[in-house]
């Protein structure tokens, strides 16, 4: 009997998941619930219509089986890599399934393409991601449905240009090439646009949710491989299996890059961490030393009385303040300046190619921006606000403040403490001998 007990909670969870009254969907915002039903209704209606309008041939079923099989095989072989990638990536909606789904757009009747999406996402949810975290079923369903809508959008482009599939494109010359290229662009854009409402279930910004250059290049690369997969299946089907090895290598290469980024990023604020900032500062120091008049500035920023915020409003509210201050500092400096978090409530800024007077002006601009900051947070379903923030800032400039990164940081840090001793909420310039 003891051996049977662990199965009971799982059975209860399954029964709860099958009971519509217990779905986590109902706990979401009304706009998201409406969006889920809207896209699912559109996808269902389009699937029924295309299933009745476009006949399925035996060859289509064979291609469907090959694509589904290769998709499952690639997901199984790259399962460990994908788990780690999703743990360190802020863009889980970008994945390698586009290789197979876009190939399906170019080879399969639309309804069969939708079935391919369903197979791949069911496998993705039950196998590849099962040990990462428990994803609500409505999110998996929504993601899969958005891919179906994306595929139908690409199908419409092909139909509009009179190129029904890859076989027709091969005989259409440049018109076929143009149709496939436009279909790929449509796939990429629609996939990006339709994911925007998912921001209602996350606190991430649009920029963070769409990811960086590496994430989007991964999506572009998968679409290119999808084209090659479709071309291979239409001409030399026996070589289709050769798509899998380079896909796995691409997958691992992207993971390595994301791990490098994660290793130098502060998880709480998205700024550089100590390691990442030091690397950039060392490079800037080397560059400045190669030029006779090279100079750069370093700012040490410390929020005044931050412990009182945590004590009065809680640590979650304190984290919200840290993120808001981080965003405020970044908005007050140039795009190529580097902002880092040194731990706690202390930030550091690297300002390349700038003189002492300009460094002081930037520091004052940051101090003023933080002073005017008003941070809202939710507390027991109520929106509360934190204002009256201030920061003390120490400034050091190369070479007057020091000729090594650590000496510059030391000079800025000593200036910071002089600012605190002088009453806080002010900027103080440091020197090498300070």
């Amino acid at each position: 009997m003891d051996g049977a007990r662990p199965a009971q909670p799982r059975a209860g969870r399954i029964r709860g998941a099958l009971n519509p009254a217990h779905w986590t969907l109902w706990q979401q915002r009304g706009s998201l619930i409406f969006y889920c039903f809207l896209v699912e209704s559109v996808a269902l209606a389009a699937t029924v219509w295309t299933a009745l309008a476009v006949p399925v041939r035996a060859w289509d079923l064979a291609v469907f089986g090959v694509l589904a099989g290769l998709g499952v095989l690639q997901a199984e072989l790259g399962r460990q890599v994908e788990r780690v990638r999703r743990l360190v990536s802020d863009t889980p909606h970008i994945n390698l399934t586009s290789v197979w789904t876009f190939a399906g757009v170019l080879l399969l009747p639309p309804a069969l393409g939708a079935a391919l999406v369903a197979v791949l996402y069911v496998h993705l949810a039950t196998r590849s991601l099962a040990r990462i975290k428990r994803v609500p079923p409505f999110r998996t369903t929504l993601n899969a449905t958005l891919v179906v809508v994306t595929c139908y959008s690409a199908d419409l482009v092909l139909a509009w240009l009179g190129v029904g599939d890859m076989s027709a494109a091969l005989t259409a010359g440049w018109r076929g090439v143009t149709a496939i290229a436009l279909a790929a662009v449509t796939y990429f854009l629609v996939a990006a646009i339709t994911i925007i409402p998912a921001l209602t279930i996350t606190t991430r910004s649009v920029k963070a949710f769409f990811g960086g250059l590496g994430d989007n290049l991964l999506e572009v690369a998968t679409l290119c491989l999808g084209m090659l997969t479709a071309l291979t299946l239409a001409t030399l089907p026996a070589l289709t299996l050769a798509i899998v090895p380079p896909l796995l290598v691409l997958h691992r290469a992207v993971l390595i890059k994301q791990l490098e980024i994660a290793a130098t990023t502060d998880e709480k604020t998205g700024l550089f961490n100590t390691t990442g900032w030091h690397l950039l500062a060392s490079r800037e120091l080397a560059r400045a030393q190669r030029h006779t008049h090279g100079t750069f500035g370093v700012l040490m920023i410390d929020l005044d009385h931050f412990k009182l915020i945590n004590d009065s409003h809680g640590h979650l509210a304190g984290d919200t303040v840290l993120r808001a201050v981080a965003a405020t500092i970044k908005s007050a400096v140039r795009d190529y300046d580097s902002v880092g978090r040194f731990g706690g409530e202390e930030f550091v800024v690297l300002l390349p190619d700038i003189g002492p007077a300009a460094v002081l002006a930037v520091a004052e601009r940051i101090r003023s921006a933080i002073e005017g900051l008003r941070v809202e947070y939710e507390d027991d379903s109520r929106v509360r606000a934190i204002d009256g923030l201030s920061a003390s800032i120490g400034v050091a400039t190369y070479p007057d403040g020091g000729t090594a990164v650590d000496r510059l940081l030391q000079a800025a840090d000593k200036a910071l403490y002089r600012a605190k001793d002088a009453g806080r909420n002010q900027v103080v310039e440091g020197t090498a001998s300070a």
Side-chain angles (χ1 to χ4, degrees), residues 31-101:
S31 57
L32 180 62
I33 296 174
F34 171 78
Y35 185 68
C36 288
F37 280 102
L38 174 64
V39 296
E40 288 164 12
S41 299
V42 169
L44 179 62
T47 301
V48 171
W49 184 83
T50 55
L52 295 174
V54 183
V56 175
R57 303 164 299 177
W59 171 252
D60 296 329
L61 293 174
V63 171
F64 170 83
V66 171
L67 291 177
L70 289 175
V72 169
L73 174 64
Q74 170 266 310
E76 286 292 327
L77 294 176
R79 186 168 50 165
Q80 293 300 118
V81 174
E82 181 64 10
R83 284 175 178 168
V84 177
R85 190 189 76 82
R86 285 177 175 251
L87 286 172
V88 302
S89 173
D90 280 336
T91 55
H93 60 283
I94 294 177
N95 56 61
L96 301 184
T97 58
S98 299
V99 174
W100 318 112
T101 56

Side-chain angles (χ1 to χ4, degrees), residues 255-271:
L255 171 63
I256 291 172
K257 181 62 178 178
Q258 289 177 333
L259 288 174
E260 291 176 350
I261 294 173
T264 58
T265 302
D266 174 60
E267 183 179 4
K268 189 168 292 185
T269 62
L271 303 176

Side-chain angles (χ1 to χ4, degrees), residues 276-325:
W277 191 90
H278 262 284
L279 287 173
L280 290 173
S282 297
R283 293 173 187 169
E284 181 58 30
L285 175 64
R287 191 188 69 83
Q289 289 174 336
R290 290 194 299 268
H291 297 81
T292 305
H293 302 291
T295 182
F296 64 92
V298 172
L299 309 180
M300 291 288 289
I301 305 169
D302 190 83
L303 293 181
D304 298 327
H305 307 297
F306 183 72
K307 185 176 184 299
L308 293 178
I309 295 176
N310 283 332
D311 293 343
S312 302
H313 301 274
H315 286 83
L316 292 180
D319 290 346
T320 302
V321 170
L322 289 176
R323 286 190 289 269
V325 170

Side-chain angles (χ1 to χ4, degrees), residues 160-241:
W160 175 57
L161 294 174
V163 179
D165 55 22
M166 178 59 75
S167 298
L170 290 174
T171 60
W174 281 106
R175 183 166 58 88
V177 173
T178 302
I180 292 175
L182 289 178
V185 171
T186 300
Y187 190 106
F188 182 88
L189 293 177
V190 173
I193 293 170
T194 56
I195 201 67
I196 290 177
L199 293 172
T200 61
I201 56 176
T202 179
T203 58
R204 285 172 287 177
S205 65
V206 172
K207 182 178 179 180
F209 200 80
F210 284 160
L213 180 63
D215 288 305
N216 288 282
L217 285 178
L218 174 62
E219 184 72 357
V220 171
T222 57
L223 291 176
C224 293
L225 286 173
M227 296 181 197
L228 295 177
T229 301
L231 179 62
T232 304
L233 270 173
T235 55
L236 296 170
L239 294 179
T240 306
L241 192 61

